[in-house]
Amino acid sequence: MTEEAAHWLYALRAVNVQYGPLTAEIDDEHRLAQALRATGSGRVLDRVRDPREQAMSSLVRKKPIEAVLSARCWLTDSAVTGSWAHETEAADFLGDLYTDSSEASLAASYYQQAGKSKKLVSLAETAGDSLLPIESLHEGPWWVRHARAALVAAQADLIQDDRAARLLDDLTDLATRGLAGELVELPTQSLTIQAVKSACALVSRGTEEQAARLLDLLASEVPREPGHYRFIDDEHATTCVDIASAHDDLAYIALTRLFDLAGHGVQKSSILITEDTVLRLMGAGSYRKGLADQEVSPSPLTEEQRGALCVKAAGFVAEKLFLADVILAELDPGHPSVREQAAQARDRILARPEPDPRRVAFGTRMVSDSFLVGFLGEEDRKKCLAKLLEVARDPREAALNRQDALSGARNVVIQLPTETQPATFQFSKPFVLGERDGSHLDERVTGRPHPLSSFKVGSVSASLRGQGLYLAAASATALEEKQWVRDQALVLLHSDDNALVQAAAVTLSAIGSDVTGDIDANLLATHQHIGVRQASAVLSVQHMERHQDLAMRLTKDSDVRVRRTLAVAATHVAWERAASVAALLDVLRGDARHSVRAAAISRKVSSGAV
């Protein structure tokens, strides 16, 4: 029975692939199996037709019922005869069949059996708010548990609170064993890494003790030699922010860990430190200035703790770490070195050389430098604004660099007196209208490459209209100017460029309720672009007297991002309007997604009182 022997040879190869060792002889069993099959022989199980071939044929003939029945027979036969490679293939095939037939739960079970993590994550994304079955993390070989852990991370927002806490314990136990080298898996530690990532996804749903345990577990992942990276660095950094936000008593420990990661070169940590959540936790002034009309909860840190973290931030500048100057300026604007860093940023902007047609550099510092320039005097800021506008106007520059210049100009103009902004608004208008599009290397670096081109750098937008719209919105002071910006944003909603549509949606959300009252938010809510529907959610809350029905309909939007935006917008209305969103928040607090419920409960409204 040489054909059955070939199946066993493939089973041996599958064992080597899943458990190792991965050597140059990995395909020896494959060659032997191919030679055996050429001789022909009987089979252990007599079938009129091979169920595998029948399943494939039925799929091609678009007979899904026959394909499912044949695939189940194929899976059973593979298990009976020990054809392990075919068993995994059959489970994967059934998962695909059930996915195509909109049977997500059955598909998830078979994908877990086959250990198909990527397909499970993709399935969870298409399943919307439906929670797929997650089987035990304590049973099965490593690739099966890896797939289940990946599914947990993909559905973390949908898992019930009590089950999330239990899964967090299971994942932490699994990660503990993996980091101790007690798990049977490949040398790459795929299961251990996924267990850590999944635990990080659930940590904000657990207790303070569970959060502290995970922080202790990950402590050994912080020290490293310069230039080294850990596969869990990004999740580790995000976990620190989640823990600090959820547990005040652990805030200082978690933020200290976040700063330690940044000190070891983890760029994700540096980025998170500059974002609103950490700035709020640190009690940073710029964050409070940005929400001057809202009540901001006090920082959970003491002055001594905040000072200790600021000392770490000052050390980042000395070590020239990523975003070090921005971090220090955000956290301690009065530090002596902030003005020095701002002067260096000014000099870099003003000393930017003329473009060289023979070579182009990407990845400018104009955006971060423009933020630092805000700590200098008005004359320095005006000079930098003029230089940034000059770079943005120059078509000899690459589009990405001109976009950075426009973004930098926006950062500077909002820090200048109102009387200086009309000239900038007039400057931005040709960009918004598309009259300034067309930059160096557009045909090679930006835009849509030719299908036969062998040189494809990327597919980012080469248009300057989006950044021009942001600049126009930032410099518009008169009502007529704001109305012009609004009208141009509405025009860009019809663009085929997703980047321009997103820029238009963001602008409409932020331009102010004084010029958005006559926009048909119902029409925006039907747009296929998620950003436009999010803008519709913001506008419906801004004008609840007109769009209360729309706001209620958006609580059932199929995309969680729309509902989350709706919840955030509702919790940030002025206190005197709080009663108007009470019913809306009540609905959102019952949402299937934890992130939506959490956003909606940040403000409690009852009988018109807060």
Side-chain angles (χ1 to χ4, degrees), residues 163-202:
R163 192 181 182 195
R166 295 196 301 271
L167 285 171
L168 180 56
D169 278 334
D170 294 342
L171 289 164
T172 305
D173 291 339
L174 201 59
T176 302
R177 292 177 57 202
L179 293 174
E182 297 176 1
L183 293 180
V184 179
E185 57 179 326
L186 284 179
T188 55
Q189 291 190 301
S190 302
L191 175 56
T192 301
I193 292 172
Q194 186 58 63
V196 172
K197 291 182 176 181
S198 299
C200 290
L202 289 175

mmCIF file of all heavy atoms in Angstrom, residues 163-202:
data_model
loop_
_atom_site.group_PDB
_atom_site.id
_atom_site.type_symbol
_atom_site.label_atom_id
_atom_site.label_comp_id
_atom_site.label_asym_id
_atom_site.label_seq_id
_atom_site.Cartn_x
_atom_site.Cartn_y
_atom_site.Cartn_z
ATOM 1 N N ARG A 163 -15.691 36.784 31.108
ATOM 2 C CA ARG A 163 -14.880 35.830 30.361
ATOM 3 C C ARG A 163 -13.516 36.423 30.000
ATOM 4 O O ARG A 163 -12.511 35.715 29.937
ATOM 5 C CB ARG A 163 -15.600 35.402 29.082
ATOM 6 C CG ARG A 163 -14.909 34.203 28.438
ATOM 7 C CD ARG A 163 -15.555 33.752 27.160
ATOM 8 N NE ARG A 163 -14.885 32.583 26.632
ATOM 9 C CZ ARG A 163 -15.026 32.134 25.399
ATOM 10 N NH1 ARG A 163 -15.841 32.764 24.551
ATOM 11 N NH2 ARG A 163 -14.375 31.071 24.989
ATOM 12 N N ALA A 164 -13.469 37.728 29.764
ATOM 13 C CA ALA A 164 -12.196 38.376 29.452
ATOM 14 C C ALA A 164 -11.213 38.202 30.602
ATOM 15 O O ALA A 164 -10.019 37.955 30.384
ATOM 16 C CB ALA A 164 -12.418 39.857 29.153
ATOM 17 N N ALA A 165 -11.705 38.323 31.832
ATOM 18 C CA ALA A 165 -10.831 38.141 32.992
ATOM 19 C C ALA A 165 -10.305 36.711 33.075
ATOM 20 O O ALA A 165 -9.131 36.483 33.396
ATOM 21 C CB ALA A 165 -11.582 38.516 34.269
ATOM 22 N N ARG A 166 -11.172 35.732 32.784
ATOM 23 C CA ARG A 166 -10.718 34.331 32.812
ATOM 24 C C ARG A 166 -9.695 34.056 31.707
ATOM 25 O O ARG A 166 -8.680 33.379 31.941
ATOM 26 C CB ARG A 166 -11.921 33.392 32.672
ATOM 27 C CG ARG A 166 -12.902 33.446 33.834
ATOM 28 C CD ARG A 166 -13.844 32.247 33.820
ATOM 29 N NE ARG A 166 -14.614 32.172 32.583
ATOM 30 C CZ ARG A 166 -15.787 32.760 32.396
ATOM 31 N NH1 ARG A 166 -16.313 33.486 33.376
ATOM 32 N NH2 ARG A 166 -16.446 32.636 31.257
ATOM 33 N N LEU A 167 -9.967 34.569 30.519
ATOM 34 C CA LEU A 167 -9.029 34.373 29.416
ATOM 35 C C LEU A 167 -7.701 35.063 29.697
ATOM 36 O O LEU A 167 -6.637 34.564 29.308
ATOM 37 C CB LEU A 167 -9.627 34.911 28.119
ATOM 38 C CG LEU A 167 -10.718 34.063 27.468
ATOM 39 C CD1 LEU A 167 -11.367 34.817 26.319
ATOM 40 C CD2 LEU A 167 -10.143 32.736 26.984
ATOM 41 N N LEU A 168 -7.756 36.206 30.372
ATOM 42 C CA LEU A 168 -6.516 36.906 30.716
ATOM 43 C C LEU A 168 -5.644 36.050 31.621
ATOM 44 O O LEU A 168 -4.417 35.982 31.447
ATOM 45 C CB LEU A 168 -6.844 38.245 31.376
ATOM 46 C CG LEU A 168 -5.651 39.107 31.807
ATOM 47 C CD1 LEU A 168 -4.729 39.392 30.640
ATOM 48 C CD2 LEU A 168 -6.150 40.417 32.425
ATOM 49 N N ASP A 169 -6.259 35.378 32.585
ATOM 50 C CA ASP A 169 -5.494 34.465 33.445
ATOM 51 C C ASP A 169 -4.886 33.325 32.625
ATOM 52 O O ASP A 169 -3.712 32.981 32.804
ATOM 53 C CB ASP A 169 -6.397 33.888 34.538
ATOM 54 C CG ASP A 169 -6.572 34.834 35.711
ATOM 55 O OD1 ASP A 169 -5.667 35.668 35.933
ATOM 56 O OD2 ASP A 169 -7.609 34.752 36.387
ATOM 57 N N ASP A 170 -5.689 32.734 31.724
ATOM 58 C CA ASP A 170 -5.195 31.625 30.911
ATOM 59 C C ASP A 170 -4.030 32.061 30.029
ATOM 60 O O ASP A 170 -3.022 31.346 29.907
ATOM 61 C CB ASP A 170 -6.322 31.065 30.027
ATOM 62 C CG ASP A 170 -7.431 30.414 30.839
ATOM 63 O OD1 ASP A 170 -7.188 30.098 32.016
ATOM 64 O OD2 ASP A 170 -8.544 30.236 30.300
ATOM 65 N N LEU A 171 -4.150 33.211 29.429
ATOM 66 C CA LEU A 171 -3.097 33.699 28.540
ATOM 67 C C LEU A 171 -1.841 34.065 29.314
ATOM 68 O O LEU A 171 -0.720 33.822 28.852
ATOM 69 C CB LEU A 171 -3.608 34.909 27.758
ATOM 70 C CG LEU A 171 -4.658 34.604 26.689
ATOM 71 C CD1 LEU A 171 -5.369 35.874 26.256
ATOM 72 C CD2 LEU A 171 -4.003 33.925 25.484
ATOM 73 N N THR A 172 -2.019 34.647 30.486
ATOM 74 C CA THR A 172 -0.853 34.987 31.299
ATOM 75 C C THR A 172 -0.135 33.727 31.752
ATOM 76 O O THR A 172 1.118 33.674 31.766
ATOM 77 C CB THR A 172 -1.278 35.832 32.511
ATOM 78 O OG1 THR A 172 -2.013 36.979 32.064
ATOM 79 C CG2 THR A 172 -0.066 36.299 33.293
ATOM 80 N N ASP A 173 -0.893 32.701 32.129
ATOM 81 C CA ASP A 173 -0.269 31.420 32.483
ATOM 82 C C ASP A 173 0.505 30.843 31.290
ATOM 83 O O ASP A 173 1.631 30.352 31.446
ATOM 84 C CB ASP A 173 -1.339 30.419 32.924
ATOM 85 C CG ASP A 173 -1.971 30.784 34.258
ATOM 86 O OD1 ASP A 173 -1.331 31.556 35.011
ATOM 87 O OD2 ASP A 173 -3.085 30.314 34.539
ATOM 88 N N LEU A 174 -0.100 30.904 30.132
ATOM 89 C CA LEU A 174 0.541 30.381 28.925
ATOM 90 C C LEU A 174 1.819 31.163 28.613
ATOM 91 O O LEU A 174 2.863 30.574 28.288
ATOM 92 C CB LEU A 174 -0.443 30.481 27.756
ATOM 93 C CG LEU A 174 -0.212 29.569 26.543
ATOM 94 C CD1 LEU A 174 -0.227 28.104 26.944
ATOM 95 C CD2 LEU A 174 -1.279 29.835 25.486
ATOM 96 N N ALA A 175 1.746 32.486 28.723
ATOM 97 C CA ALA A 175 2.918 33.314 28.463
ATOM 98 C C ALA A 175 4.018 33.063 29.495
ATOM 99 O O ALA A 175 5.207 33.036 29.153
ATOM 100 C CB ALA A 175 2.515 34.793 28.469
ATOM 101 N N THR A 176 3.620 32.852 30.745
ATOM 102 C CA THR A 176 4.606 32.573 31.792
ATOM 103 C C THR A 176 5.367 31.289 31.499
ATOM 104 O O THR A 176 6.600 31.238 31.610
ATOM 105 C CB THR A 176 3.908 32.476 33.161
ATOM 106 O OG1 THR A 176 3.219 33.703 33.434
ATOM 107 C CG2 THR A 176 4.915 32.209 34.262
ATOM 108 N N ARG A 177 4.634 30.264 31.107
ATOM 109 C CA ARG A 177 5.276 28.991 30.765
ATOM 110 C C ARG A 177 6.161 29.146 29.536
ATOM 111 O O ARG A 177 7.263 28.572 29.466
ATOM 112 C CB ARG A 177 4.225 27.924 30.517
ATOM 113 C CG ARG A 177 3.443 27.503 31.761
ATOM 114 C CD ARG A 177 2.387 26.489 31.387
ATOM 115 N NE ARG A 177 2.978 25.324 30.724
ATOM 116 C CZ ARG A 177 2.318 24.498 29.932
ATOM 117 N NH1 ARG A 177 1.024 24.727 29.682
ATOM 118 N NH2 ARG A 177 2.923 23.477 29.379
ATOM 119 N N GLY A 178 5.695 29.919 28.564
ATOM 120 C CA GLY A 178 6.483 30.100 27.351
ATOM 121 C C GLY A 178 7.773 30.847 27.603
ATOM 122 O O GLY A 178 8.842 30.455 27.112
ATOM 123 N N LEU A 179 7.712 31.929 28.379
ATOM 124 C CA LEU A 179 8.920 32.694 28.674
ATOM 125 C C LEU A 179 9.896 31.901 29.535
ATOM 126 O O LEU A 179 11.105 32.155 29.518
ATOM 127 C CB LEU A 179 8.550 34.007 29.365
ATOM 128 C CG LEU A 179 7.785 35.015 28.492
ATOM 129 C CD1 LEU A 179 7.346 36.210 29.315
ATOM 130 C CD2 LEU A 179 8.654 35.472 27.323
ATOM 131 N N ALA A 180 9.365 30.915 30.272
ATOM 132 C CA ALA A 180 10.220 30.036 31.076
ATOM 133 C C ALA A 180 10.749 28.853 30.267
ATOM 134 O O ALA A 180 11.501 28.032 30.800
ATOM 135 C CB ALA A 180 9.448 29.534 32.288
ATOM 136 N N GLY A 181 10.337 28.749 28.996
ATOM 137 C CA GLY A 181 10.810 27.668 28.137
ATOM 138 C C GLY A 181 10.128 26.339 28.383
ATOM 139 O O GLY A 181 10.689 25.286 28.046
ATOM 140 N N GLU A 182 8.918 26.354 28.940
ATOM 141 C CA GLU A 182 8.228 25.110 29.284
ATOM 142 C C GLU A 182 7.239 24.656 28.213
ATOM 143 O O GLU A 182 6.657 23.582 28.342
ATOM 144 C CB GLU A 182 7.483 25.294 30.611
ATOM 145 C CG GLU A 182 8.408 25.585 31.787
ATOM 146 C CD GLU A 182 7.642 25.867 33.058
ATOM 147 O OE1 GLU A 182 6.386 25.819 33.019
ATOM 148 O OE2 GLU A 182 8.273 26.147 34.095
ATOM 149 N N LEU A 183 7.016 25.463 27.168
ATOM 150 C CA LEU A 183 6.070 25.088 26.123
ATOM 151 C C LEU A 183 6.774 24.350 24.990
ATOM 152 O O LEU A 183 7.917 24.658 24.657
ATOM 153 C CB LEU A 183 5.372 26.332 25.560
ATOM 154 C CG LEU A 183 4.427 27.083 26.488
ATOM 155 C CD1 LEU A 183 3.838 28.282 25.768
ATOM 156 C CD2 LEU A 183 3.307 26.177 26.988
ATOM 157 N N VAL A 184 6.070 23.376 24.404
ATOM 158 C CA VAL A 184 6.575 22.678 23.226
ATOM 159 C C VAL A 184 6.116 23.463 22.004
ATOM 160 O O VAL A 184 4.924 23.492 21.671
ATOM 161 C CB VAL A 184 6.051 21.229 23.157
ATOM 162 C CG1 VAL A 184 6.565 20.540 21.900
ATOM 163 C CG2 VAL A 184 6.468 20.446 24.395
ATOM 164 N N GLU A 185 7.046 24.129 21.337
ATOM 165 C CA GLU A 185 6.742 24.936 20.163
ATOM 166 C C GLU A 185 8.022 25.121 19.360
ATOM 167 O O GLU A 185 9.086 24.614 19.724
ATOM 168 C CB GLU A 185 6.176 26.296 20.573
ATOM 169 C CG GLU A 185 7.092 27.092 21.501
ATOM 170 C CD GLU A 185 6.515 28.450 21.867
ATOM 171 O OE1 GLU A 185 5.833 29.060 21.016
ATOM 172 O OE2 GLU A 185 6.765 28.907 23.000
ATOM 173 N N LEU A 186 7.900 25.832 18.253
ATOM 174 C CA LEU A 186 9.075 26.087 17.426
ATOM 175 C C LEU A 186 10.048 27.017 18.153
ATOM 176 O O LEU A 186 9.652 27.763 19.056
ATOM 177 C CB LEU A 186 8.653 26.721 16.109
ATOM 178 C CG LEU A 186 8.022 25.793 15.060
ATOM 179 C CD1 LEU A 186 7.634 26.613 13.834
ATOM 180 C CD2 LEU A 186 8.980 24.685 14.662
ATOM 181 N N PRO A 187 11.318 27.026 17.750
ATOM 182 C CA PRO A 187 12.287 27.927 18.387
ATOM 183 C C PRO A 187 11.915 29.408 18.266
ATOM 184 O O PRO A 187 12.400 30.228 19.037
ATOM 185 C CB PRO A 187 13.585 27.623 17.630
ATOM 186 C CG PRO A 187 13.426 26.234 17.136
ATOM 187 C CD PRO A 187 11.975 26.094 16.812
ATOM 188 N N THR A 188 11.072 29.749 17.289
ATOM 189 C CA THR A 188 10.646 31.145 17.135
ATOM 190 C C THR A 188 9.681 31.599 18.219
ATOM 191 O O THR A 188 9.346 32.789 18.293
ATOM 192 C CB THR A 188 9.974 31.346 15.766
ATOM 193 O OG1 THR A 188 8.902 30.406 15.625
ATOM 194 C CG2 THR A 188 10.980 31.135 14.639
ATOM 195 N N GLN A 189 9.196 30.658 19.038
ATOM 196 C CA GLN A 189 8.286 30.962 20.157
ATOM 197 C C GLN A 189 7.014 31.677 19.694
ATOM 198 O O GLN A 189 6.542 32.626 20.316
ATOM 199 C CB GLN A 189 8.994 31.804 21.212
ATOM 200 C CG GLN A 189 10.083 31.052 21.979
ATOM 201 C CD GLN A 189 10.596 31.836 23.166
ATOM 202 O OE1 GLN A 189 11.098 32.958 23.005
ATOM 203 N NE2 GLN A 189 10.483 31.268 24.346
ATOM 204 N N SER A 190 6.443 31.183 18.612
ATOM 205 C CA SER A 190 5.237 31.813 18.069
ATOM 206 C C SER A 190 4.103 31.811 19.083
ATOM 207 O O SER A 190 3.377 32.806 19.232
ATOM 208 C CB SER A 190 4.801 31.087 16.798
ATOM 209 O OG SER A 190 5.824 31.101 15.839
ATOM 210 N N LEU A 191 3.905 30.688 19.775
ATOM 211 C CA LEU A 191 2.811 30.592 20.742
ATOM 212 C C LEU A 191 3.036 31.539 21.906
ATOM 213 O O LEU A 191 2.109 32.229 22.357
ATOM 214 C CB LEU A 191 2.674 29.151 21.233
ATOM 215 C CG LEU A 191 1.636 28.908 22.339
ATOM 216 C CD1 LEU A 191 0.259 29.386 21.908
ATOM 217 C CD2 LEU A 191 1.600 27.431 22.717
ATOM 218 N N THR A 192 4.250 31.599 22.411
ATOM 219 C CA THR A 192 4.545 32.488 23.539
ATOM 220 C C THR A 192 4.298 33.938 23.173
ATOM 221 O O THR A 192 3.666 34.689 23.924
ATOM 222 C CB THR A 192 6.004 32.307 23.977
ATOM 223 O OG1 THR A 192 6.221 30.947 24.367
ATOM 224 C CG2 THR A 192 6.343 33.223 25.136
ATOM 225 N N ILE A 193 4.790 34.338 22.011
ATOM 226 C CA ILE A 193 4.620 35.728 21.572
ATOM 227 C C ILE A 193 3.147 36.067 21.411
ATOM 228 O O ILE A 193 2.686 37.124 21.849
ATOM 229 C CB ILE A 193 5.395 35.959 20.259
ATOM 230 C CG1 ILE A 193 6.899 35.867 20.527
ATOM 231 C CG2 ILE A 193 5.039 37.305 19.651
ATOM 232 C CD1 ILE A 193 7.737 35.886 19.260
ATOM 233 N N GLN A 194 2.386 35.155 20.801
ATOM 234 C CA GLN A 194 0.956 35.423 20.608
ATOM 235 C C GLN A 194 0.217 35.454 21.937
ATOM 236 O O GLN A 194 -0.712 36.250 22.125
ATOM 237 C CB GLN A 194 0.341 34.368 19.688
ATOM 238 C CG GLN A 194 -1.107 34.638 19.322
ATOM 239 C CD GLN A 194 -1.298 35.964 18.639
ATOM 240 O OE1 GLN A 194 -0.773 36.204 17.555
ATOM 241 N NE2 GLN A 194 -2.052 36.869 19.269
ATOM 242 N N ALA A 195 0.605 34.591 22.876
ATOM 243 C CA ALA A 195 -0.039 34.600 24.190
ATOM 244 C C ALA A 195 0.181 35.939 24.893
ATOM 245 O O ALA A 195 -0.743 36.495 25.510
ATOM 246 C CB ALA A 195 0.502 33.456 25.049
ATOM 247 N N VAL A 196 1.390 36.476 24.785
ATOM 248 C CA VAL A 196 1.675 37.782 25.384
ATOM 249 C C VAL A 196 0.847 38.873 24.715
ATOM 250 O O VAL A 196 0.230 39.711 25.381
ATOM 251 C CB VAL A 196 3.184 38.102 25.283
ATOM 252 C CG1 VAL A 196 3.455 39.535 25.731
ATOM 253 C CG2 VAL A 196 3.996 37.130 26.127
ATOM 254 N N LYS A 197 0.821 38.860 23.381
ATOM 255 C CA LYS A 197 0.066 39.883 22.657
ATOM 256 C C LYS A 197 -1.423 39.826 22.995
ATOM 257 O O LYS A 197 -2.069 40.864 23.159
ATOM 258 C CB LYS A 197 0.276 39.717 21.152
ATOM 259 C CG LYS A 197 1.680 40.058 20.670
ATOM 260 C CD LYS A 197 1.790 39.906 19.161
ATOM 261 C CE LYS A 197 3.171 40.330 18.661
ATOM 262 N NZ LYS A 197 3.292 40.207 17.190
ATOM 263 N N SER A 198 -1.950 38.624 23.094
ATOM 264 C CA SER A 198 -3.381 38.489 23.406
ATOM 265 C C SER A 198 -3.673 38.920 24.835
ATOM 266 O O SER A 198 -4.718 39.531 25.107
ATOM 267 C CB SER A 198 -3.822 37.040 23.176
ATOM 268 O OG SER A 198 -3.627 36.655 21.829
ATOM 269 N N ALA A 199 -2.777 38.597 25.763
ATOM 270 C CA ALA A 199 -2.955 39.053 27.146
ATOM 271 C C ALA A 199 -2.922 40.579 27.213
ATOM 272 O O ALA A 199 -3.703 41.202 27.938
ATOM 273 C CB ALA A 199 -1.873 38.448 28.036
ATOM 274 N N CYS A 200 -2.039 41.186 26.427
ATOM 275 C CA CYS A 200 -1.963 42.646 26.398
ATOM 276 C C CYS A 200 -3.258 43.253 25.864
ATOM 277 O O CYS A 200 -3.687 44.316 26.310
ATOM 278 C CB CYS A 200 -0.786 43.093 25.529
ATOM 279 S SG CYS A 200 0.840 42.738 26.245
ATOM 280 N N ALA A 201 -3.894 42.571 24.922
ATOM 281 C CA ALA A 201 -5.145 43.077 24.355
ATOM 282 C C ALA A 201 -6.276 43.075 25.374
ATOM 283 O O ALA A 201 -7.226 43.857 25.250
ATOM 284 C CB ALA A 201 -5.534 42.254 23.130
ATOM 285 N N LEU A 202 -6.192 42.209 26.380
ATOM 286 C CA LEU A 202 -7.263 42.072 27.363
ATOM 287 C C LEU A 202 -6.947 42.722 28.707
ATOM 288 O O LEU A 202 -7.803 42.746 29.585
ATOM 289 C CB LEU A 202 -7.567 40.586 27.608
ATOM 290 C CG LEU A 202 -8.251 39.813 26.487
ATOM 291 C CD1 LEU A 202 -8.360 38.337 26.869
ATOM 292 C CD2 LEU A 202 -9.629 40.378 26.195
#
